[in-house]
Amino acid sequence: MRLLIVALGAEVALFAAIAPNFLTVGNLAEITRSSVELGLLATALTPIIVSGGIDLSVGSMMGLAAVVFGAAAARGSVTIAAVLAVLVGMGGGGLNAVAVARLGIPPLIATLATLSLFRGIAEGLTHGAVNYSGFPSSFLFLGQGYLGGVIPAQLPLFLLVLAGYVVLLHRSVVGRAWYAIGFSPSGARHAGLPVSKRLALAYVLSGLTASLAAIVYVAHLGQAKADAGTGYELDAITAVVLGGASISGGRGTIWGTLVGLAALATLQNGLRLAAWPSELTGVITGVLLVTTIAFRRWGSAIVGEEKPVRNGQVAIICATILAGAILVSGTNVWLVRSLQPSQLAAPKLGGVAEQRRRVTIAMMPKAKGDPYFVSCRAGAEEAARELGIDLIWDGPTGLDAAKQNEVVENWITRKVDVIAVSVENRAGISTVLRKAQQRGIRVITWDADAEPDARDFFVNQATPEGIGTTLTDEAARLLDGRGDFAIITGALSAANQNEWMVHIRKRLAEKYPDVKLVTVRPSDDDRDKAFAETQTVLRANPSVRLIMAIAAPAVPGAAEAVRQAGRTGVSVIGLSLPNMNKPYVHAGVVQTVVLWNTKDLGYLTVYAGSRLANGTLASGARSVEAGRLGSLEVRGRDIILGAPLLINKSNIDTFDF
Amino acid sequence: MIGVRERSVAIAIVVLATVLAVFTERFFSAANLTDLFLANVPVLVAAIGATLVIVSGEIDISVGSAFAVCSVAAGLAAKAGLPVAAIALVTVLLGATLGAMNGALVAFARVPSIVVTLATMVALRDGLRWATQGEWVQDLPATFQWLGQSQAVYPVVIGAVASTLVVTMAWSARDLAAGRAIYATGSNPVAARLAGLDVAAVKFSVFTLAGALTALAAVINAARFTQVPSNSGLGLEMKVIAAAVVGGAAIRGGRATLLGTVLGVVLLGAIGPALTFLGVNAYWERAIQGAIILAAVVFK
């Protein structure tokens, strides 16, 4: 524990040095707010781990509870919806309890199964796609408001649950039973403790707390979707284990979990404020986790016993961490340099400093790892170089609306000049974008829009309707107006793809009654899965003569499946990037790739941001001057890139991304 | 050798096969079965490693991330012009190294394996994303796909490799002292140590072996295509652990058979395609898989 507090202190010191506005009340409130949901899960997980078990299903339970809450709130009152969600949480926890406590199934396996089950039920109920929003603002206050202007509104709830668990784990017979069971389940049984009852309680409470976390999540984000809480279970386990709980049971405290949680939340927040890539979070968390535990076990001679870390070792660890911190900040020379002139110049030169200070544009894709967005980044950086501005490129590594909000909050703290977001969730992001606007930051959306009043301009490359129509028309053309086709989409819950499919179905109904959509299969943005799904679809539905793959990795996957099956009569079209499809387009397997110039999209966004920041682009403008793209049309507050591009054999070699 | 769990999984497979035979026509075509086979052999190879890790009393959830890293490495090795055998060797060595990293932390630093592999899972996945920036490995030499064989011969070659591997591993686990040491370590580490086994060495070796098998799985899988994505193996760790557990592996260690793992891979690998053939909507698939895993562990 001492070691962890030292590490936490080192983190705070490091980030206070290199990250702007880290050590402010506003940022502290932000760290607190973003850790409530995870904190609830970690708190509930502590007694489970202490008693020698584990619960991998907490994140999925969040998804199920969120969906139940959303569906109920859409039809009735929020209060009843909350009660229902909590009941579902207790029910799910009860299922785990029966499996582990009554049937004696190892918790890892039981909760691994319920992880799939709960998430699966949530997806099944909503078809993966339905996204509940439009909650009353009195409810949203719980997740987004501040008490007294400073304290995040969800904090009292968290403190209440925390207090309950502290009493239960540390001050009651129940808690002592949990520790005893963790040390030795058979010993506890022989001592007369009601082992099954105590274990059951821990799991039921975990389900209940997960549903509370889901309600907070929905209030925070303003949306309820089946993918809520994805991945949270691992972060929660990390926090608990970091905080000193032994994974084999018998050791751990709520306080330790809190410190572990603080260490994680501070790390994430600090890295973002310092504009370090978010991939580092995972790497550093991993290193932190392994190092603190390895050192904890260091020196214990007897298997299972843990000696406290000696002072000498603590000193070595402190020195290592601080040395690492100094190395990191040392390599951040440009950051340090860029901070100093604005601090020095401001008092002396006043207005002139404004012009000399470089404009900072913070740009966020939906998913950093997606090759589509990687190509947008290339264009964005090109524009940043031409204009001489600082570009921060960050965001979640996968589709994650909650993380997008967090990143924007960090940018607000950092006081960037312009925020440009490709929005994963419209309702959820708009609140935080409005907040940015209130703080004087200019806001643009690109690729996918937020609510119009939450941003200054939207860089629009193609409307969902345009995309759906173009794809459907191409499919109909290749099928000669009649035939069966199948869609391979990304993830079932991906908002873009679902919107396109709405327009595709509409277009089919309006214009192509003889073209039938036979089935929709998900690829989860995994090329191999798209390959396997296409293979199966072709065999299960031999009448299918066209595969429409609407996620970038899915097109080459589907194409390879068609090619390997030797089905030359089947066409493949989709929405993807040129490079990964070149061999298939040239071989005639893929007929058309629908896209737009993604590099130009990134390029245009940065130019628009820059023009917005220096005032040359303001509301009422009819056009915007964008470097090598020339003068582009502005319709209302939408900046239009151009029409969707049909990429095929004749023009694919002119693209390189 | 055929225990209760293996029997119940086998029965489940027979039931599923019967349903498919009755309600669909094309599931049992040679082409479809070959496709399913090729898709699941990598899962099986990785699951062998996962089973051994579970038998030794530990767990490895970094399989998917290691798979992704090794796939990219294989692609890069091919781009560098290495011959097929060298590509396989280099990748397997890389996988063994990654496994050894896990093994060292588990066996010598005595950090619990769930913690170590949680850390490596995240670190490898994020590190790979950072290094590749989402770019795929493209423009591979023509000998990469099918490892220089033809599309028709490849399944045969892979089938031979996989069955040799399964049979050898199954035999070694039972009849080699090294194999029995793994079971002993898993079922009671204290007794094993007192009996003279070097428990740390056993665990270290098991993780290293599992890493090598994961890398082999990555090569077998990557060679089915002409490009290597930067994010393969998503969810692989859950697949292999579920397959091992459904096949009868006790998560506390000391009990599992490779036959059970094979059956587990077959059952879980068949669910998705079966649902497609039966016309069930995709969004119930995950719920059904969870229910099946739960049923498999509840009904002992």
Side-chain angles (χ1 to χ4, degrees):
Chain A
M1 210 7 194
R2 247 182 302 167
L3 173 55
L4 185 64
I5 298 180
V6 164
L8 180 59
E11 269 180 20
V12 172
L14 168 63
F15 292 125
I18 69 172
N21 295 328
F22 176 77
L23 225 47
T24 60
V25 172
N27 195 37
L28 180 64
E30 199 31 55
I31 296 179
T32 319
R33 150 161 304 165
S34 61
S35 29
V36 165
E37 293 136 37
L38 195 57
L40 284 168
L41 296 183
T43 308
L45 215 43
T46 310
I48 292 181
I49 291 185
V50 159
S51 67
I54 198 164
D55 188 352
L56 294 175
S57 66
V58 287
S60 307
M61 176 42 88
M62 264 181 80
L64 184 54
V67 159
V68 167
F69 178 82
R75 287 169 181 70
S77 83
V78 167
T79 326
I80 299 187
V83 169
L84 271 175
V86 167
L87 285 175
V88 165
M90 288 175 67
L95 180 59
N96 281 330
V98 165
V100 173
R102 184 59 54 83
L103 297 172
I105 300 174
L108 187 71
I109 296 311
T111 57
L112 185 63
T114 46
L115 169 133
S116 287
L117 189 65
F118 296 159
R119 184 73 64 193
I121 295 177
E123 278 174 1
L125 289 177
T126 60
H127 296 197
V130 179
N131 185 354
Y132 300 101
S133 56
F135 298 100
S137 49
S138 49
F139 169 69
L140 294 178
F141 181 81
L142 171 65
Q144 300 168 10
Y146 292 94
L147 298 171
V150 173
I151 302 174
Q154 56 263 67
L155 194 59
L157 175 65
F158 179 39
L159 291 176
L160 202 64
V161 171
L162 198 63
Y165 268 101
V166 168
V167 166
L168 208 53
L169 184 60
H170 296 306
R171 290 274 181 279
S172 79
V173 214
V174 176
R176 288 240 267 272
W178 281 333
Y179 279 101
I181 297 170
F183 263 121
S184 168
S186 48
R189 201 167 284 120
H190 287 136
L193 293 173
V195 171
S196 300
K197 273 215 288 228
R198 298 285 180 251
L199 284 181
L201 180 65
Y203 286 95
V204 170
L205 286 179
S206 167
L208 196 162
T209 314
S211 60
L212 289 176
I215 296 174
V216 171
Y217 176 96
V218 173
H220 190 185
L221 220 55
Q223 71 159 2
K225 230 171 122 179
D227 65 2
T230 309
Y232 280 37
E233 56 277 334
L234 292 180
D235 282 338
I237 292 172
T238 306
V240 175
V241 173
L242 209 51
S246 167
I247 210 79
S248 44
R251 230 177 285 276
T253 63
I254 301 281
W255 309 116
T257 302
L258 271 186
V259 177
L261 188 65
L264 279 183
T266 312
L267 182 67
Q268 272 199 354
N269 174 285
L271 282 177
R272 271 196 219 117
L273 280 183
W276 277 74
S278 47
E279 288 92 346
L280 266 189
T281 317
V283 176
I284 296 182
T285 308
V287 171
L288 189 64
L289 192 59
V290 172
T291 328
T292 48
I293 294 174
F295 277 120
R296 242 178 237 150
R297 306 281 271 235
W298 194 10
S300 73
I302 304 168
V303 173
E305 195 183 280
E306 296 173 16
K307 267 167 52 185
V309 176
R310 290 192 286 275
N311 283 332
Q313 290 170 342
V314 174
I316 295 173
I317 294 155
C318 284
T320 322
I321 294 177
L322 284 173
I326 292 169
L327 252 166
V328 166
S329 30
T331 58
N332 244 338
V333 169
W334 70 265
L335 238 177
V336 174
R337 275 214 207 112
S338 75
L339 285 177
Q340 281 179 346
S342 59
Q343 288 169 358
L344 289 176
K348 275 199 279 187
L349 299 168
V352 182
E354 286 298 314
Q355 289 171 349
R356 272 180 41 190
R357 188 175 64 85
R358 279 159 71 98
V359 168
T360 311
I361 297 186
M363 196 161 159
M364 169 155 47
K366 278 191 199 172
K368 273 174 91 170
D370 188 335
Y372 170 87
F373 288 105
V374 172
S375 60
C376 295
R377 179 185 189 171
E381 287 180 342
E382 183 191 343
R385 268 193 305 271
E386 283 176 16
L387 290 166
I389 61 173
D390 286 335
L391 177 69
I392 299 176
W393 176 272
D394 200 13
T397 39
L399 295 176
D400 190 336
K403 279 249 154 63
Q404 283 205 324
N405 275 32
E406 272 180 53
V407 175
V408 174
E409 292 274 13
N410 290 149
W411 284 341
I412 295 175
T413 311
R414 203 168 185 270
K415 297 206 177 64
V416 299
D417 297 298
V418 182
I419 291 179
V421 183
S422 166
V423 173
E424 167 60 14
N425 167 243
R426 216 178 141 93
I429 199 112
S430 302
T431 332
V432 80
L433 288 180
R434 279 186 208 108
K435 184 172 163 191
Q437 287 181 315
Q438 280 164 9
R439 304 279 174 91
I441 300 174
R442 315 313 302 257
V443 175
I444 318 181
T445 47
W446 58 284
D447 180 71
D449 201 5
E451 280 160 23
D453 68 308
R455 44 82 173 159
D456 294 312
F457 285 92
F458 171 42
V459 180
N460 192 356
Q461 76 286 6
T463 58
E465 188 170 351
I467 295 170
T469 309
T470 312
L471 282 167
T472 317
D473 290 349
E474 261 307 285
R477 181 182 72 82
L478 289 165
L479 287 172
D480 284 322
R482 84 172 339 108
D484 291 347
F485 77 104
I487 290 182
I488 309 287
T489 178
L492 283 177
S493 54
N496 258 10
Q497 276 81 357
N498 288 328
E499 218 180 334
W500 299 338
M501 285 197 280
V502 166
H503 291 288
I504 290 173
R505 287 187 213 269
K506 216 163 62 156
R507 185 78 170 165
L508 283 177
E510 285 169 11
K511 265 195 91 171
Y512 306 109
D514 291 326
V515 175
K516 210 170 96 160
L517 171 59
V518 167
T519 181
V520 174
R521 302 290 311 175
S523 70
D524 294 325
D525 293 312
D526 183 350
R527 188 273 312 262
D528 293 357
K529 186 152 191 227
F531 173 84
E533 293 287 353
T534 308
Q535 275 186 327
T536 314
V537 163
L538 288 177
R539 301 212 189 284
N541 307 286
S543 63
V544 163
R545 282 192 301 121
L546 181 130
I547 304 282
M548 185 191 288
I550 55 179
V555 180
E560 187 64 33
V562 167
R563 186 165 64 152
Q564 286 187 18
R567 300 283 304 269
T568 47
V570 173
S571 314
V572 179
I573 67 172
L575 212 125
S576 183
L577 299 169
N579 275 0
M580 56 177 65
N581 291 295
K582 270 187 192 156
Y584 299 108
V585 169
H586 283 304
V589 180
V590 172
Q591 277 63 41
T592 316
V593 173
V594 175
L595 198 66
W596 43 88
N597 196 322
T598 49
K599 252 202 225 165
D600 287 353
L601 179 61
Y603 184 88
L604 174 59
T605 306
V606 170
Y607 260 89
S610 164
R611 302 291 182 232
L612 197 56
N614 68 16
T616 45
L617 175 64
S619 87
R622 290 293 183 78
S623 67
V624 63
E625 198 277 304
R628 62 172 168 79
L629 295 176
S631 180
L632 290 176
E633 184 190 349
V634 177
R635 239 180 267 161
R637 283 185 302 134
D638 282 10
I639 304 173
I640 313 291
L641 178 66
L645 204 52
L646 290 179
I647 303 176
N648 50 36
K649 224 187 263 197
S650 61
N651 59 13
I652 194 166
D653 286 322
T654 61
F655 302 104
D656 183 21
F657 58 92
Chain B
M1 256 261 281
I2 307 238
V4 175
R5 174 60 62 80
E6 286 84 353
R7 227 192 323 247
S8 48
V9 176
I11 292 176
I13 294 176
V14 168
V15 167
L16 184 62
T18 319
V19 168
L20 285 169
V22 169
F23 289 103
T24 71
E25 305 154 356
R26 293 166 287 265
F27 190 88
F28 292 103
S29 63
N32 190 44
L33 292 178
T34 316
D35 290 341
L36 291 182
F37 175 73
L38 273 182
N40 284 297
V41 166
V43 178
L44 175 60
V45 171
I48 295 175
T51 310
L52 292 175
V53 169
I54 292 178
V55 167
S56 76
E58 306 290 348
I59 195 157
D60 185 355
I61 56 174
S62 66
V63 179
S65 310
F67 185 92
V69 171
C70 292
S71 304
V72 170
L76 293 175
K79 267 193 110 151
L82 293 178
V84 168
I87 296 174
L89 187 63
V90 162
T91 314
V92 166
L93 280 176
L94 174 64
T97 314
L98 294 176
M101 256 169 41
N102 284 335
L105 286 167
V106 170
F108 304 124
R110 287 211 284 216
V111 182
S113 54
I114 182 105
V115 170
V116 171
T117 54
L118 174 57
T120 25
M121 173 181 87
V122 174
L124 283 175
R125 182 73 68 180
D126 280 359
L128 181 65
R129 206 173 269 140
W130 193 20
T132 57
Q133 289 297 310
E135 268 189 52
W136 290 18
V137 183
Q138 299 179 291
D139 301 319
L140 295 170
T143 51
F144 182 77
Q145 192 175 28
W146 313 125
L147 293 179
Q149 315 293 317
S150 72
Q151 181 174 348
V153 170
Y154 191 69
V156 177
V157 170
I158 293 310
V161 169
S163 32
T164 317
L165 197 60
V166 170
V167 167
T168 315
M169 287 293 163
W171 174 82
S172 316
R174 218 163 51 103
D175 290 330
L176 280 187
R180 289 231 272 269
I182 305 178
Y183 279 88
T185 306
S187 72
N188 191 334
V190 177
R193 200 168 42 84
L194 291 173
L197 288 177
D198 186 347
V199 169
V202 169
K203 291 196 179 181
F204 176 78
S205 318
V206 166
F207 272 97
T208 310
L209 178 61
L213 287 170
T214 306
L216 182 62
V219 171
I220 294 177
N221 186 57
R224 292 194 294 150
F225 303 95
T226 52
Q227 313 172 87
V228 181
S230 54
N231 69 338
S232 39
L234 292 166
L236 184 64
E237 54 280 333
M238 291 309 165
K239 267 195 224 167
V240 301
I241 292 175
V245 165
V246 163
I251 211 68
R252 290 204 177 99
R255 192 156 53 83
T257 63
L258 285 184
L259 173 64
T261 302
V262 171
L263 292 173
V265 170
V266 169
L267 179 61
L268 292 176
I271 294 175
L275 292 179
T276 312
F277 271 85
L278 291 169
V280 174
N281 264 316
Y283 39 80
W284 283 113
E285 197 172 307
R286 206 199 293 249
I288 294 177
Q289 267 181 338
I292 291 186
I293 298 175
L294 203 53
V297 293
V298 165
F299 298 115
K300 280 199 269 239

